[in-house]
Amino acid sequence: MKYVLFVCTPVGGGEELGPAELAEDPRLASYLHEVRARDVVRGGARLRSGSDATTVRVQGDEVLLSDGPFAETKEYIAGFDVVEVADLDEAIALAARHPAALAGGSVEVRPVWE
């Protein structure tokens, strides 16, 4: 089954790390080595901060734009991984080892409709 792992980071949880800084994190390097060796990653991306988001809503014929994420939350989605694993238990085990979860954030696991 395919699952999306939404990597959530606490708002105001520290400096926003870019791809270059994240590549130097030994926890992330270890995690990436594991999931690549198991060949379970099917896609994903690192996202910019929620403050860089634009939310689009439509009311009648009017398109309404607002700066920022769709909701005020304590965390924002910092990235996502698409993984293909045997079942929910395996997806949860991967999420529990993700550096974001280990550093005070969270990883939401959601199955993909196929």
Side-chain angles (χ1 to χ4, degrees):
M1 285 193 67
K2 286 185 183 169
Y3 293 88
V4 174
L5 308 182
F6 290 103
V7 179
C8 302
T9 301
V11 171
E15 180 183 349
E16 178 72 22
L17 300 178
E21 293 90 2
L22 285 172
E24 296 174 3
D25 182 340
R27 294 173 303 172
L28 184 60
S30 175
Y31 178 80
L32 291 175
H33 176 74
E34 175 189 348
V35 296
R36 288 177 180 154
R38 293 177 54 194
D39 193 32
V40 296
V41 177
R42 299 294 176 257
R46 174 88 169 110
L47 302 174
R48 291 187 177 264
S49 169
S51 63
D52 290 336
T54 300
T55 298
V56 179
R57 291 182 174 83
V58 177
Q59 291 183 348
D61 293 336
E62 188 175 2
V63 176
L64 305 171
L65 304 177
S66 58
D67 292 334
F70 74 98
E72 293 293 323
T73 63
K74 294 180 182 179
E75 296 180 323
Y76 68 93
I77 299 173
F80 65 96
D81 296 327
V82 179
V83 297
E84 190 166 356
V85 293
D87 55 27
L88 179 59
D89 290 337
E90 190 175 354
I92 290 170
L94 277 177
R97 290 193 301 278
H98 195 285
L102 298 173
S106 64
V107 178
E108 178 182 332
V109 177
R110 193 177 306 177
V112 174
W113 284 107
E114 293 190 88

